[in-house]
Amino acid sequence: MRLGTVLHQGRPRLAVAVDDGLAVLPGAAPDGRDFTMQAVIDGWPATRPALEVACEGASPVAVDTLHWLPPLPRPGKVLCVALNNSANKDRIMRGPSHPAAFVKPASSLIGHGQPIRLREHFGRVHPEPELAVVIGRTGSDIAHEAALAHVFGYTIINDLTAPTMRGEDTFHYRAIHPKRDDPETIEYVDSWVSYPGRYKGSDSFGPMGPWIATRDAIPDPHDLAVRCVHQGRLVTEDNTANLFYKVADVIAFMSTYMTLEAGDIIAMGTALKQSNGGQAVQNVDLTRFGGPIEVSISGIGTLSNPVERRA
Amino acid sequence: MRLGTVLHQGRPRLAVAVDDGLAVLPGAAPDGRDFTMQAVIDGWPATRPALEVACEGASPVAVDTLHWLPPLPRPGKVLCVALNNSANKDRIMRGPSHPAAFVKPASSLIGHGQPIRLREHFGRVHPEPELAVVIGRTGSDIAHEAALAHVFGYTIINDLTAPTMRGEDTFHYRAIHPKRDDPETIEYVDSWVSYPGRYKGSDSFGPMGPWIATRDAIPDPHDLAVRCVHQGRLVTEDNTANLFYKVADVIAFMSTYMTLEAGDIIAMGTALKQSNGGQAVQNVDLTRFGGPIEVSISGIGTLSNPVERRA
């Protein structure tokens, strides 16, 4: 089953995929209220039969005529795994031997078809096509073998990144540490630190959707083709098999530090294998070249967004 | 007026300060529902008179007998400004000429009195005593002179930081950039990047509260004493006058990149002027020494948390 969220007659409504081009908007839930994605997730799989009944008789609508919201408009957190592609390995001189992550704010998310809004002074902004996991069951200290049972489904995120801002928001500084041989006093340690608030979290930097494919619809999350197309030109042609840390690795590791809540999103890291065209995602400067920018993942769908340049 | 959120008979309830040691829990709002902090903020100042009426006749309860939640249990985002103390200036060799920030997930927040839960392998974890701004009115591109009118009030956050994890989650790598003289191809640039997901966002790394002091109760947010006390020993004795970027600077700058929504939190950066005792916050390793750890800000209150070491 594939589910999304649209704005319909001024209200967020659940949408259910009929096929790649058609959707139905189910009627009300048995309690009389609209189905919301969070409520469907919280009650899954018990919510499924009622949802199926509510779809019967609803008229299909063309996907591209709907106003799409992010499938979960306000997730508790969007945790993004960094540098998680096997192709990165030989360009990392020093890094952790586990997944590293940052948080993107919910206010950065936009739906399929909604404009990415960029300003000249943002500098370069490039796409990052990614598989995203939707957590279905809250947990911490989740065992590796139980990890996939915590997944509700999978969606697509375009984890837009502004490398110009990243450079600006990187500090080279003397960090204060306790002195090694006298921990009651301090010493200074030459360090680098970078802060992703702006370069990953600006408004519209998180196109997501249109669909969440439920877990049963994706037999293997590490056998999915990922394509990124800019203005009709294929930029990336990768596969989730190339993710270095797998979905279960990330859930097991991160959940020993932070509770993963139902409705949380985990962006798994950039698919960056270049297509034969020879360009990298880093060459696609959306501030300069505009859109549309499109990310497709097999079995989930296609996320496409125009670019709007604003003052 | 000072407002907080407590768990009372299994439900989140608003609490209103009587004085530093006493609180009342108001009765229901005119619509019959419990007051929630988000609803109070969304309707402010129109919600104020009804709230005052609902407090009349309620019996005062001792603050320390209540089970405190974060004043806003689930803010849209917690935006944390980094390295924002005038005392930092001479240890920054290279950095931006504007506020830089990261996002802490809502799942990391805990209330006053609730335990900070640490594990041996987290390595060092130190406190960061900070003034936090609570946004009252949603906006983007907020003019500097209008910035304070977007503030609902001020609270306290202890922005716990794990420098051991920070070191682990820092990459030295070759970033991919478009080639300067041939932007259709790429070149590698020696870079450093660090990801704050774990070291700032682990469970219980965001003690917050107990109170939000409404804006009218804080005549000048840059004239507040900030104290941090560890196991009865004064560590930090600073003042919000020493924040390098002021509240209005941060709101005006950040809102040109991201919408600041009603209920969002902005942590303004660490108060780090050492007390005469000679220790820095970086010497206070909570993993090793345990708690309690206390942050007080004049006019707002005292946030105190025990430390629980767990397996």
PDB file of all heavy atoms in Angstrom, chain A residues 231-267:
ATOM      1  N   GLN A 231      16.280  18.626 -14.864  1.00  0.00           N
ATOM      2  CA  GLN A 231      15.858  19.200 -16.145  1.00  0.00           C
ATOM      3  C   GLN A 231      15.929  18.158 -17.267  1.00  0.00           C
ATOM      4  O   GLN A 231      16.433  18.426 -18.355  1.00  0.00           O
ATOM      5  CB  GLN A 231      16.721  20.436 -16.481  1.00  0.00           C
ATOM      6  CG  GLN A 231      16.513  21.573 -15.468  1.00  0.00           C
ATOM      7  CD  GLN A 231      17.400  22.784 -15.690  1.00  0.00           C
ATOM      8  OE1 GLN A 231      18.437  22.692 -16.335  1.00  0.00           O
ATOM      9  NE2 GLN A 231      17.006  23.920 -15.136  1.00  0.00           N
ATOM     10  N   GLY A 232      15.452  16.966 -16.946  1.00  0.00           N
ATOM     11  CA  GLY A 232      15.389  15.900 -17.937  1.00  0.00           C
ATOM     12  C   GLY A 232      16.682  15.133 -18.145  1.00  0.00           C
ATOM     13  O   GLY A 232      16.717  14.153 -18.892  1.00  0.00           O
ATOM     14  N   ARG A 233      17.740  15.542 -17.476  1.00  0.00           N
ATOM     15  CA  ARG A 233      19.047  14.907 -17.658  1.00  0.00           C
ATOM     16  C   ARG A 233      19.352  14.014 -16.452  1.00  0.00           C
ATOM     17  O   ARG A 233      19.294  14.468 -15.310  1.00  0.00           O
ATOM     18  CB  ARG A 233      20.079  16.027 -17.768  1.00  0.00           C
ATOM     19  CG  ARG A 233      21.496  15.610 -17.974  1.00  0.00           C
ATOM     20  CD  ARG A 233      22.335  16.864 -18.198  1.00  0.00           C
ATOM     21  NE  ARG A 233      23.755  16.574 -18.257  1.00  0.00           N
ATOM     22  CZ  ARG A 233      24.679  17.503 -18.406  1.00  0.00           C
ATOM     23  NH1 ARG A 233      24.335  18.785 -18.506  1.00  0.00           N
ATOM     24  NH2 ARG A 233      25.959  17.188 -18.440  1.00  0.00           N
ATOM     25  N   LEU A 234      19.687  12.760 -16.713  1.00  0.00           N
ATOM     26  CA  LEU A 234      19.948  11.805 -15.631  1.00  0.00           C
ATOM     27  C   LEU A 234      21.282  12.126 -14.958  1.00  0.00           C
ATOM     28  O   LEU A 234      22.327  12.149 -15.597  1.00  0.00           O
ATOM     29  CB  LEU A 234      19.976  10.385 -16.218  1.00  0.00           C
ATOM     30  CG  LEU A 234      20.152   9.233 -15.232  1.00  0.00           C
ATOM     31  CD1 LEU A 234      18.953   9.120 -14.292  1.00  0.00           C
ATOM     32  CD2 LEU A 234      20.349   7.914 -15.991  1.00  0.00           C
ATOM     33  N   VAL A 235      21.245  12.375 -13.662  1.00  0.00           N
ATOM     34  CA  VAL A 235      22.450  12.732 -12.922  1.00  0.00           C
ATOM     35  C   VAL A 235      22.976  11.535 -12.122  1.00  0.00           C
ATOM     36  O   VAL A 235      24.167  11.249 -12.123  1.00  0.00           O
ATOM     37  CB  VAL A 235      22.168  13.906 -11.951  1.00  0.00           C
ATOM     38  CG1 VAL A 235      23.425  14.294 -11.185  1.00  0.00           C
ATOM     39  CG2 VAL A 235      21.597  15.107 -12.691  1.00  0.00           C
ATOM     40  N   THR A 236      22.063  10.875 -11.414  1.00  0.00           N
ATOM     41  CA  THR A 236      22.454   9.774 -10.523  1.00  0.00           C
ATOM     42  C   THR A 236      21.730   8.506 -10.935  1.00  0.00           C
ATOM     43  O   THR A 236      20.532   8.536 -11.222  1.00  0.00           O
ATOM     44  CB  THR A 236      22.035  10.094  -9.075  1.00  0.00           C
ATOM     45  OG1 THR A 236      22.569  11.350  -8.708  1.00  0.00           O
ATOM     46  CG2 THR A 236      22.530   9.025  -8.106  1.00  0.00           C
ATOM     47  N   GLU A 237      22.452   7.414 -10.913  1.00  0.00           N
ATOM     48  CA  GLU A 237      21.837   6.121 -11.183  1.00  0.00           C
ATOM     49  C   GLU A 237      22.485   5.150 -10.197  1.00  0.00           C
ATOM     50  O   GLU A 237      23.573   4.647 -10.423  1.00  0.00           O
ATOM     51  CB  GLU A 237      22.132   5.706 -12.628  1.00  0.00           C
ATOM     52  CG  GLU A 237      21.130   4.739 -13.160  1.00  0.00           C
ATOM     53  CD  GLU A 237      21.206   4.594 -14.682  1.00  0.00           C
ATOM     54  OE1 GLU A 237      22.215   5.036 -15.282  1.00  0.00           O
ATOM     55  OE2 GLU A 237      20.268   4.041 -15.255  1.00  0.00           O
ATOM     56  N   ASP A 238      21.831   4.993  -9.060  1.00  0.00           N
ATOM     57  CA  ASP A 238      22.439   4.246  -7.965  1.00  0.00           C
ATOM     58  C   ASP A 238      21.449   3.187  -7.494  1.00  0.00           C
ATOM     59  O   ASP A 238      20.379   3.001  -8.081  1.00  0.00           O
ATOM     60  CB  ASP A 238      22.792   5.231  -6.829  1.00  0.00           C
ATOM     61  CG  ASP A 238      23.926   4.732  -5.932  1.00  0.00           C
ATOM     62  OD1 ASP A 238      24.181   3.516  -5.897  1.00  0.00           O
ATOM     63  OD2 ASP A 238      24.536   5.570  -5.251  1.00  0.00           O
ATOM     64  N   ASN A 239      21.814   2.497  -6.416  1.00  0.00           N
ATOM     65  CA  ASN A 239      20.942   1.479  -5.852  1.00  0.00           C
ATOM     66  C   ASN A 239      21.151   1.491  -4.342  1.00  0.00           C
ATOM     67  O   ASN A 239      22.277   1.720  -3.876  1.00  0.00           O
ATOM     68  CB  ASN A 239      21.303   0.099  -6.441  1.00  0.00           C
ATOM     69  CG  ASN A 239      20.252  -0.952  -6.103  1.00  0.00           C
ATOM     70  OD1 ASN A 239      20.108  -1.366  -4.962  1.00  0.00           O
ATOM     71  ND2 ASN A 239      19.495  -1.367  -7.115  1.00  0.00           N
ATOM     72  N   THR A 240      20.080   1.256  -3.607  1.00  0.00           N
ATOM     73  CA  THR A 240      20.206   1.263  -2.144  1.00  0.00           C
ATOM     74  C   THR A 240      21.098   0.123  -1.634  1.00  0.00           C
ATOM     75  O   THR A 240      21.454   0.104  -0.466  1.00  0.00           O
ATOM     76  CB  THR A 240      18.822   1.173  -1.473  1.00  0.00           C
ATOM     77  OG1 THR A 240      18.142   0.025  -1.995  1.00  0.00           O
ATOM     78  CG2 THR A 240      17.992   2.420  -1.760  1.00  0.00           C
ATOM     79  N   ALA A 241      21.462  -0.808  -2.519  1.00  0.00           N
ATOM     80  CA  ALA A 241      22.456  -1.834  -2.146  1.00  0.00           C
ATOM     81  C   ALA A 241      23.773  -1.176  -1.762  1.00  0.00           C
ATOM     82  O   ALA A 241      24.561  -1.741  -0.995  1.00  0.00           O
ATOM     83  CB  ALA A 241      22.671  -2.800  -3.308  1.00  0.00           C
ATOM     84  N   ASN A 242      24.039   0.024  -2.304  1.00  0.00           N
ATOM     85  CA  ASN A 242      25.321   0.692  -2.059  1.00  0.00           C
ATOM     86  C   ASN A 242      25.355   1.509  -0.771  1.00  0.00           C
ATOM     87  O   ASN A 242      26.378   2.129  -0.468  1.00  0.00           O
ATOM     88  CB  ASN A 242      25.662   1.597  -3.250  1.00  0.00           C
ATOM     89  CG  ASN A 242      25.900   0.778  -4.501  1.00  0.00           C
ATOM     90  OD1 ASN A 242      26.429  -0.333  -4.421  1.00  0.00           O
ATOM     91  ND2 ASN A 242      25.482   1.306  -5.644  1.00  0.00           N
ATOM     92  N   LEU A 243      24.251   1.543  -0.038  1.00  0.00           N
ATOM     93  CA  LEU A 243      24.315   2.207   1.271  1.00  0.00           C
ATOM     94  C   LEU A 243      25.293   1.422   2.142  1.00  0.00           C
ATOM     95  O   LEU A 243      25.219   0.191   2.208  1.00  0.00           O
ATOM     96  CB  LEU A 243      22.930   2.260   1.924  1.00  0.00           C
ATOM     97  CG  LEU A 243      21.933   3.223   1.245  1.00  0.00           C
ATOM     98  CD1 LEU A 243      20.525   3.011   1.792  1.00  0.00           C
ATOM     99  CD2 LEU A 243      22.370   4.679   1.422  1.00  0.00           C
ATOM    100  N   PHE A 244      26.211   2.127   2.790  1.00  0.00           N
ATOM    101  CA  PHE A 244      27.232   1.435   3.569  1.00  0.00           C
ATOM    102  C   PHE A 244      26.628   0.831   4.838  1.00  0.00           C
ATOM    103  O   PHE A 244      26.711  -0.366   5.067  1.00  0.00           O
ATOM    104  CB  PHE A 244      28.378   2.406   3.886  1.00  0.00           C
ATOM    105  CG  PHE A 244      29.530   1.743   4.567  1.00  0.00           C
ATOM    106  CD1 PHE A 244      30.379   0.910   3.856  1.00  0.00           C
ATOM    107  CD2 PHE A 244      29.755   1.941   5.916  1.00  0.00           C
ATOM    108  CE1 PHE A 244      31.436   0.265   4.492  1.00  0.00           C
ATOM    109  CE2 PHE A 244      30.813   1.306   6.554  1.00  0.00           C
ATOM    110  CZ  PHE A 244      31.647   0.475   5.839  1.00  0.00           C
ATOM    111  N   TYR A 245      25.995   1.657   5.665  1.00  0.00           N
ATOM    112  CA  TYR A 245      25.231   1.130   6.805  1.00  0.00           C
ATOM    113  C   TYR A 245      23.821   0.873   6.318  1.00  0.00           C
ATOM    114  O   TYR A 245      23.205   1.730   5.676  1.00  0.00           O
ATOM    115  CB  TYR A 245      25.230   2.110   7.978  1.00  0.00           C
ATOM    116  CG  TYR A 245      26.612   2.321   8.550  1.00  0.00           C
ATOM    117  CD1 TYR A 245      27.310   3.501   8.330  1.00  0.00           C
ATOM    118  CD2 TYR A 245      27.230   1.320   9.288  1.00  0.00           C
ATOM    119  CE1 TYR A 245      28.591   3.688   8.839  1.00  0.00           C
ATOM    120  CE2 TYR A 245      28.513   1.497   9.801  1.00  0.00           C
ATOM    121  CZ  TYR A 245      29.189   2.678   9.569  1.00  0.00           C
ATOM    122  OH  TYR A 245      30.451   2.843  10.064  1.00  0.00           O
ATOM    123  N   LYS A 246      23.289  -0.295   6.650  1.00  0.00           N
ATOM    124  CA  LYS A 246      21.964  -0.688   6.178  1.00  0.00           C
ATOM    125  C   LYS A 246      20.891  -0.164   7.135  1.00  0.00           C
ATOM    126  O   LYS A 246      21.198   0.284   8.248  1.00  0.00           O
ATOM    127  CB  LYS A 246      21.877  -2.218   6.073  1.00  0.00           C
ATOM    128  CG  LYS A 246      22.991  -2.859   5.240  1.00  0.00           C
ATOM    129  CD  LYS A 246      23.066  -2.318   3.816  1.00  0.00           C
ATOM    130  CE  LYS A 246      24.112  -3.078   2.990  1.00  0.00           C
ATOM    131  NZ  LYS A 246      24.484  -2.344   1.761  1.00  0.00           N
ATOM    132  N   VAL A 247      19.640  -0.247   6.712  1.00  0.00           N
ATOM    133  CA  VAL A 247      18.526   0.252   7.530  1.00  0.00           C
ATOM    134  C   VAL A 247      18.581  -0.347   8.937  1.00  0.00           C
ATOM    135  O   VAL A 247      18.474   0.374   9.942  1.00  0.00           O
ATOM    136  CB  VAL A 247      17.167  -0.065   6.853  1.00  0.00           C
ATOM    137  CG1 VAL A 247      16.003   0.269   7.780  1.00  0.00           C
ATOM    138  CG2 VAL A 247      17.032   0.709   5.530  1.00  0.00           C
ATOM    139  N   ALA A 248      18.768  -1.634   9.042  1.00  0.00           N
ATOM    140  CA  ALA A 248      18.787  -2.278  10.366  1.00  0.00           C
ATOM    141  C   ALA A 248      19.987  -1.817  11.194  1.00  0.00           C
ATOM    142  O   ALA A 248      19.878  -1.641  12.416  1.00  0.00           O
ATOM    143  CB  ALA A 248      18.793  -3.800  10.220  1.00  0.00           C
ATOM    144  N   ASP A 249      21.136  -1.593  10.539  1.00  0.00           N
ATOM    145  CA  ASP A 249      22.329  -1.100  11.257  1.00  0.00           C
ATOM    146  C   ASP A 249      22.034   0.269  11.882  1.00  0.00           C
ATOM    147  O   ASP A 249      22.388   0.527  13.035  1.00  0.00           O
ATOM    148  CB  ASP A 249      23.520  -0.896  10.299  1.00  0.00           C
ATOM    149  CG  ASP A 249      23.943  -2.165   9.579  1.00  0.00           C
ATOM    150  OD1 ASP A 249      23.702  -3.272  10.120  1.00  0.00           O
ATOM    151  OD2 ASP A 249      24.524  -2.048   8.472  1.00  0.00           O
ATOM    152  N   VAL A 250      21.427   1.120  11.090  1.00  0.00           N
ATOM    153  CA  VAL A 250      21.191   2.500  11.545  1.00  0.00           C
ATOM    154  C   VAL A 250      20.172   2.521  12.687  1.00  0.00           C
ATOM    155  O   VAL A 250      20.370   3.184  13.706  1.00  0.00           O
ATOM    156  CB  VAL A 250      20.726   3.388  10.372  1.00  0.00           C
ATOM    157  CG1 VAL A 250      20.271   4.762  10.861  1.00  0.00           C
ATOM    158  CG2 VAL A 250      21.856   3.542   9.347  1.00  0.00           C
ATOM    159  N   ILE A 251      19.085   1.765  12.528  1.00  0.00           N
ATOM    160  CA  ILE A 251      18.059   1.735  13.588  1.00  0.00           C
ATOM    161  C   ILE A 251      18.651   1.174  14.878  1.00  0.00           C
ATOM    162  O   ILE A 251      18.463   1.738  15.964  1.00  0.00           O
ATOM    163  CB  ILE A 251      16.837   0.903  13.128  1.00  0.00           C
ATOM    164  CG1 ILE A 251      16.083   1.666  12.036  1.00  0.00           C
ATOM    165  CG2 ILE A 251      15.918   0.577  14.306  1.00  0.00           C
ATOM    166  CD1 ILE A 251      14.925   0.897  11.418  1.00  0.00           C
ATOM    167  N   ALA A 252      19.394   0.072  14.768  1.00  0.00           N
ATOM    168  CA  ALA A 252      19.959  -0.543  15.981  1.00  0.00           C
ATOM    169  C   ALA A 252      20.950   0.411  16.651  1.00  0.00           C
ATOM    170  O   ALA A 252      20.891   0.642  17.856  1.00  0.00           O
ATOM    171  CB  ALA A 252      20.629  -1.869  15.629  1.00  0.00           C
ATOM    172  N   PHE A 253      21.828   1.005  15.863  1.00  0.00           N
ATOM    173  CA  PHE A 253      22.853   1.885  16.455  1.00  0.00           C
ATOM    174  C   PHE A 253      22.240   3.160  17.022  1.00  0.00           C
ATOM    175  O   PHE A 253      22.463   3.509  18.192  1.00  0.00           O
ATOM    176  CB  PHE A 253      23.914   2.237  15.407  1.00  0.00           C
ATOM    177  CG  PHE A 253      24.972   3.163  15.945  1.00  0.00           C
ATOM    178  CD1 PHE A 253      25.990   2.669  16.755  1.00  0.00           C
ATOM    179  CD2 PHE A 253      24.937   4.517  15.677  1.00  0.00           C
ATOM    180  CE1 PHE A 253      26.962   3.520  17.285  1.00  0.00           C
ATOM    181  CE2 PHE A 253      25.900   5.379  16.196  1.00  0.00           C
ATOM    182  CZ  PHE A 253      26.915   4.880  16.997  1.00  0.00           C
ATOM    183  N   MET A 254      21.465   3.872  16.229  1.00  0.00           N
ATOM    184  CA  MET A 254      20.955   5.170  16.685  1.00  0.00           C
ATOM    185  C   MET A 254      20.007   5.007  17.872  1.00  0.00           C
ATOM    186  O   MET A 254      19.951   5.882  18.732  1.00  0.00           O
ATOM    187  CB  MET A 254      20.263   5.918  15.542  1.00  0.00           C
ATOM    188  CG  MET A 254      21.191   6.386  14.418  1.00  0.00           C
ATOM    189  SD  MET A 254      22.647   7.393  14.916  1.00  0.00           S
ATOM    190  CE  MET A 254      21.886   8.713  15.851  1.00  0.00           C
ATOM    191  N   SER A 255      19.287   3.903  17.929  1.00  0.00           N
ATOM    192  CA  SER A 255      18.305   3.746  19.017  1.00  0.00           C
ATOM    193  C   SER A 255      18.965   3.442  20.364  1.00  0.00           C
ATOM    194  O   SER A 255      18.286   3.434  21.388  1.00  0.00           O
ATOM    195  CB  SER A 255      17.271   2.664  18.674  1.00  0.00           C
ATOM    196  OG  SER A 255      17.845   1.377  18.753  1.00  0.00           O
ATOM    197  N   THR A 256      20.262   3.222  20.376  1.00  0.00           N
ATOM    198  CA  THR A 256      20.936   3.115  21.683  1.00  0.00           C
ATOM    199  C   THR A 256      21.234   4.505  22.233  1.00  0.00           C
ATOM    200  O   THR A 256      21.592   4.649  23.403  1.00  0.00           O
ATOM    201  CB  THR A 256      22.251   2.300  21.617  1.00  0.00           C
ATOM    202  OG1 THR A 256      23.197   3.020  20.836  1.00  0.00           O
ATOM    203  CG2 THR A 256      22.028   0.937  21.021  1.00  0.00           C
ATOM    204  N   TYR A 257      21.111   5.524  21.393  1.00  0.00           N
ATOM    205  CA  TYR A 257      21.328   6.907  21.840  1.00  0.00           C
ATOM    206  C   TYR A 257      20.019   7.683  21.966  1.00  0.00           C
ATOM    207  O   TYR A 257      19.844   8.460  22.878  1.00  0.00           O
ATOM    208  CB  TYR A 257      22.278   7.638  20.872  1.00  0.00           C
ATOM    209  CG  TYR A 257      23.645   7.009  20.904  1.00  0.00           C
ATOM    210  CD1 TYR A 257      23.985   5.973  20.042  1.00  0.00           C
ATOM    211  CD2 TYR A 257      24.575   7.408  21.848  1.00  0.00           C
ATOM    212  CE1 TYR A 257      25.222   5.359  20.107  1.00  0.00           C
ATOM    213  CE2 TYR A 257      25.823   6.801  21.922  1.00  0.00           C
ATOM    214  CZ  TYR A 257      26.133   5.777  21.048  1.00  0.00           C
ATOM    215  OH  TYR A 257      27.352   5.164  21.137  1.00  0.00           O
ATOM    216  N   MET A 258      19.145   7.502  20.995  1.00  0.00           N
ATOM    217  CA  MET A 258      17.907   8.277  21.024  1.00  0.00           C
ATOM    218  C   MET A 258      16.714   7.403  20.691  1.00  0.00           C
ATOM    219  O   MET A 258      16.792   6.512  19.838  1.00  0.00           O
ATOM    220  CB  MET A 258      17.989   9.472  20.078  1.00  0.00           C
ATOM    221  CG  MET A 258      18.272   9.166  18.647  1.00  0.00           C
ATOM    222  SD  MET A 258      18.555  10.689  17.684  1.00  0.00           S
ATOM    223  CE  MET A 258      20.273  11.031  18.090  1.00  0.00           C
ATOM    224  N   THR A 259      15.618   7.651  21.377  1.00  0.00           N
ATOM    225  CA  THR A 259      14.374   6.934  21.123  1.00  0.00           C
ATOM    226  C   THR A 259      13.905   7.244  19.705  1.00  0.00           C
ATOM    227  O   THR A 259      13.872   8.403  19.299  1.00  0.00           O
ATOM    228  CB  THR A 259      13.307   7.366  22.148  1.00  0.00           C
ATOM    229  OG1 THR A 259      13.829   7.113  23.460  1.00  0.00           O
ATOM    230  CG2 THR A 259      12.016   6.607  21.965  1.00  0.00           C
ATOM    231  N   LEU A 260      13.614   6.211  18.957  1.00  0.00           N
ATOM    232  CA  LEU A 260      13.022   6.403  17.630  1.00  0.00           C
ATOM    233  C   LEU A 260      11.511   6.270  17.800  1.00  0.00           C
ATOM    234  O   LEU A 260      11.025   5.223  18.234  1.00  0.00           O
ATOM    235  CB  LEU A 260      13.575   5.380  16.639  1.00  0.00           C
ATOM    236  CG  LEU A 260      15.094   5.467  16.424  1.00  0.00           C
ATOM    237  CD1 LEU A 260      15.577   4.358  15.490  1.00  0.00           C
ATOM    238  CD2 LEU A 260      15.501   6.839  15.886  1.00  0.00           C
ATOM    239  N   GLU A 261      10.803   7.347  17.482  1.00  0.00           N
ATOM    240  CA  GLU A 261       9.368   7.399  17.747  1.00  0.00           C
ATOM    241  C   GLU A 261       8.559   7.112  16.486  1.00  0.00           C
ATOM    242  O   GLU A 261       8.998   7.424  15.376  1.00  0.00           O
ATOM    243  CB  GLU A 261       9.000   8.789  18.284  1.00  0.00           C
ATOM    244  CG  GLU A 261       9.730   9.132  19.577  1.00  0.00           C
ATOM    245  CD  GLU A 261       9.480  10.551  20.080  1.00  0.00           C
ATOM    246  OE1 GLU A 261       9.336  11.460  19.246  1.00  0.00           O
ATOM    247  OE2 GLU A 261       9.440  10.742  21.302  1.00  0.00           O
ATOM    248  N   ALA A 262       7.376   6.559  16.678  1.00  0.00           N
ATOM    249  CA  ALA A 262       6.477   6.312  15.538  1.00  0.00           C
ATOM    250  C   ALA A 262       6.270   7.622  14.788  1.00  0.00           C
ATOM    251  O   ALA A 262       5.889   8.628  15.385  1.00  0.00           O
ATOM    252  CB  ALA A 262       5.148   5.756  16.028  1.00  0.00           C
ATOM    253  N   GLY A 263       6.544   7.609  13.504  1.00  0.00           N
ATOM    254  CA  GLY A 263       6.416   8.823  12.689  1.00  0.00           C
ATOM    255  C   GLY A 263       7.740   9.529  12.445  1.00  0.00           C
ATOM    256  O   GLY A 263       7.813  10.426  11.604  1.00  0.00           O
ATOM    257  N   ASP A 264       8.795   9.149  13.166  1.00  0.00           N
ATOM    258  CA  ASP A 264      10.123   9.707  12.873  1.00  0.00           C
ATOM    259  C   ASP A 264      10.579   9.254  11.489  1.00  0.00           C
ATOM    260  O   ASP A 264      10.212   8.173  11.015  1.00  0.00           O
ATOM    261  CB  ASP A 264      11.168   9.221  13.898  1.00  0.00           C
ATOM    262  CG  ASP A 264      11.108   9.977  15.224  1.00  0.00           C
ATOM    263  OD1 ASP A 264      10.312  10.923  15.358  1.00  0.00           O
ATOM    264  OD2 ASP A 264      11.877   9.592  16.137  1.00  0.00           O
ATOM    265  N   ILE A 265      11.415  10.091  10.891  1.00  0.00           N
ATOM    266  CA  ILE A 265      11.965   9.798   9.559  1.00  0.00           C
ATOM    267  C   ILE A 265      13.479   9.614   9.692  1.00  0.00           C
ATOM    268  O   ILE A 265      14.128  10.388  10.400  1.00  0.00           O
ATOM    269  CB  ILE A 265      11.715  10.996   8.605  1.00  0.00           C
ATOM    270  CG1 ILE A 265      10.231  11.400   8.566  1.00  0.00           C
ATOM    271  CG2 ILE A 265      12.251  10.713   7.206  1.00  0.00           C
ATOM    272  CD1 ILE A 265       9.310  10.408   7.940  1.00  0.00           C
ATOM    273  N   ILE A 266      14.013   8.611   9.024  1.00  0.00           N
ATOM    274  CA  ILE A 266      15.473   8.481   8.936  1.00  0.00           C
ATOM    275  C   ILE A 266      15.873   8.532   7.466  1.00  0.00           C
ATOM    276  O   ILE A 266      15.520   7.627   6.689  1.00  0.00           O
ATOM    277  CB  ILE A 266      15.990   7.168   9.553  1.00  0.00           C
ATOM    278  CG1 ILE A 266      15.544   7.049  11.022  1.00  0.00           C
ATOM    279  CG2 ILE A 266      17.518   7.094   9.454  1.00  0.00           C
ATOM    280  CD1 ILE A 266      15.942   5.720  11.666  1.00  0.00           C
ATOM    281  N   ALA A 267      16.575   9.590   7.085  1.00  0.00           N
ATOM    282  CA  ALA A 267      17.087   9.681   5.712  1.00  0.00           C
ATOM    283  C   ALA A 267      18.408   8.909   5.691  1.00  0.00           C
ATOM    284  O   ALA A 267      19.292   9.160   6.512  1.00  0.00           O
ATOM    285  CB  ALA A 267      17.287  11.134   5.327  1.00  0.00           C
TER     286      ALA A 267
END
